[in-house]
Amino acid sequence: MAQTVLNSRAPSILVAMATSGGKHPRSDSKTKNSGQHITIREVAKAAGASVSTISAALNNSDYVSAEMRSRIQGAIKQLKYRPNDLARGLRLQKTHTIAVIVPDLSNNFYVDVVRGAKDYSTSANYTVLVGDSREKWDEERDYLDSFHRRRVDGVVRVPAMDALTKKMKPILGNIPWIYADRYPASGDSSVGRVGIDNVVAADNATRYLLSLGHRSIGIISGDISSGTSADRLEGFLQALRAANIRPDRSMILAGHNDIESGHKHAMQLLQRAQRPTAIFCTNNMMALGAFAAIQELGMRCPEEISLLGFDDFYWSTLLRPTLTVVRQPAREVGMIAARMLIDHVEGRSPIETPVLLATQLIVRDSCSPPRQMNA
Amino acid sequence: MAQTVLNSRAPSILVAMATSGGKHPRSDSKTKNSGQHITIREVAKAAGASVSTISAALNNSDYVSAEMRSRIQGAIKQLKYRPNDLARGLRLQKTHTIAVIVPDLSNNFYVDVVRGAKDYSTSANYTVLVGDSREKWDEERDYLDSFHRRRVDGVVRVPAMDALTKKMKPILGNIPWIYADRYPASGDSSVGRVGIDNVVAADNATRYLLSLGHRSIGIISGDISSGTSADRLEGFLQALRAANIRPDRSMILAGHNDIESGHKHAMQLLQRAQRPTAIFCTNNMMALGAFAAIQELGMRCPEEISLLGFDDFYWSTLLRPTLTVVRQPAREVGMIAARMLIDHVEGRSPIETPVLLATQLIVRDSCSPPRQMNA
DNA sequence: AATAAATGCCGAAACGTTTTGGCAAAATTG
DNA sequence: CAATTTTGCCAAAACGTTTCGGCATTTATT
């Protein structure tokens, strides 16, 4: 058992032999096909039929006699024939493929969006390609470009945070796309968008905090180039106004939807002389950052500070305290996005857009009434 | 069970739904191309050159004059031409694409594997397709089939747990594949495999528990149809033997690498009359399940029970206690798998296989010396 | 200056499918 | 039984690239 143990750093590249030999070794003289894969042509030969008949049998339409059909099946099985989707897509001018690009696959919310899109697509006989931009426009652009070159039939897009102002038409051309979850404040769109009703979600969440007695609430929201973040902030403010509380601008911080900015801004809020009694984070990563900040400062949650997050994790209940969050129907967002996109692609009449799904406030342990003011 | 479609109020965008009319508007009578995308042919026309010259310029090889080249660039930019990778792949009999299939994208370990593979591939001018089998062979097979039909140049495979006995050749044909992380006990392989040295990783981890004074250690390992799990169990036993401890078979439980089986088996271990003082879980999901079980039973960790896991999470430090784990270089596993696969695809001489990377024991708070026996 | 070689470009043939129009034979009709 | 339709199959033309062999020019070599 010769086991090579490589240091993870080891860059050792064992190099190149001659690339391609001068001669192309044509081994089989029987069939014209030179290479790797068996083609419909070889199936035809084996079944004693013509190429077009094989194709007809494959797309089981048309007139193919039962006998011929079974002969073809036999040949296919025996040769282990697999259709070439490149050729198919080229000829058909249709790939039966959609792409889904999300900003962060390590965020389970987006994994669920992807899975939703995948499941719907599968049921509609489409396959999906997934991209993971890691919140970087450059990566997103590269993915979109690649999707374009592969001629996907459409894309479900959750833009990276720094990509919200980018124009899509130059990148995607005629390929339709739909926004899921996030969407740009500027209304560049193609098929529409699906997400949640961010305003009412944030409004409800904030009302919950108010109902507990909180009057001084900090919010760590996303960048307002995102319509999503803007809406959540809007909902927050709306709830405050409804309760006749004047929002304190210094309590409103714009993060970047990642752990770091959640942490940074929570630190900032918590170390003020007049600190809030509750913090509302408008996405899950920032909530995690805030959670960490609270732990670091040794503050007791929820006794000293309440924390309200967005999006649920499957491991939310393992944290102490367990996290109270606004749960979004991630999977449904993905499913509906895929559905709308595919409907559009297939020329079916579109449903109204934007589609806004309802959220749910999952009350757990991280929020409680604030301590007495002078405690 | 979210409520669906609530359009209620249209917040920012009223969105014109001017999508496709019933008729297909054939606007351009000039070019032969009927449809969506601009082709190299139209670029040729615009640049006043032949198709083959455009191609030559594109693959910037060959003899193309500077003047012609810039004229072509101009036409490309103006028409927003994007090469069609379907046609390209068909002609070239090579897609410059590899696929990566992992069993669970909601497990961050695999996200990192994917990202590693993606980053290496990008640097080598390959793109990657990712599949997420959710631990189900059926889904994995469908993905592999799709990859085959797309004629990917190779696949990095982390098999689903119930897929370890399946033969690949019938599915993938001549497409080469490499195992990453998990591998089947039966040595069906193509390019080789890359992972960690599971035996020594588990051995080291176990020795650590022994060094703390634990003598009664439960292990929740994966199914032994997985070579990976078998190796980890082997390392565990090896460490016990080296310490002259006779392994207690009833302390060895085979889980399924998911939260549920971690939970179930931990419950079982913890509710025995003679319960272990430490539990070793050989993957991260099972560790989480065990963690939950401990919390549920209201046991104090590490005082009453030590817990040692596999794989790190980015949020491991948010749990209380923080988790002591064996950290695997997930990203490197992905990178090296991609490297070996691409090397193979391009006919370079392969490095020795299997490639086994070193792990690291991350000591945090979930393990401590056991309480006095009679406490 | 005559020849050879390099340069710059092009037409046509693939790559593996699907589709269209056609052609026989069989089945149906009058 | 003749005329028609249906059935079963096939050949060839696309789809958008790359590559191979040519063919003119120009440039280099005697």
Side-chain angles (χ1 to χ4, degrees), chain A residues 205-218:
Chain A
T206 308
R207 279 175 202 272
Y208 169 67
L209 289 176
L210 291 168
S211 78
L212 289 177
H214 292 277
R215 288 299 173 268
S216 172
I217 306 175

Side-chain angles (χ1 to χ4, degrees), chain A residues 142-178:
Chain A
D142 288 350
Y143 270 115
L144 294 173
D145 224 66
S146 170
F147 294 150
H148 190 171
R149 290 196 309 264
R150 284 179 202 281
R151 298 298 189 262
V152 300
D153 296 327
V155 356
V156 172
R157 178 171 183 238
V158 187
M161 283 307 284
D162 62 343
L164 283 157
T165 65
K166 310 295 179 179
K167 284 298 180 191
M168 283 299 99
K169 261 152 264 168
I171 310 276
L172 284 180
N174 290 323
I175 298 176
W177 73 94
I178 184 172

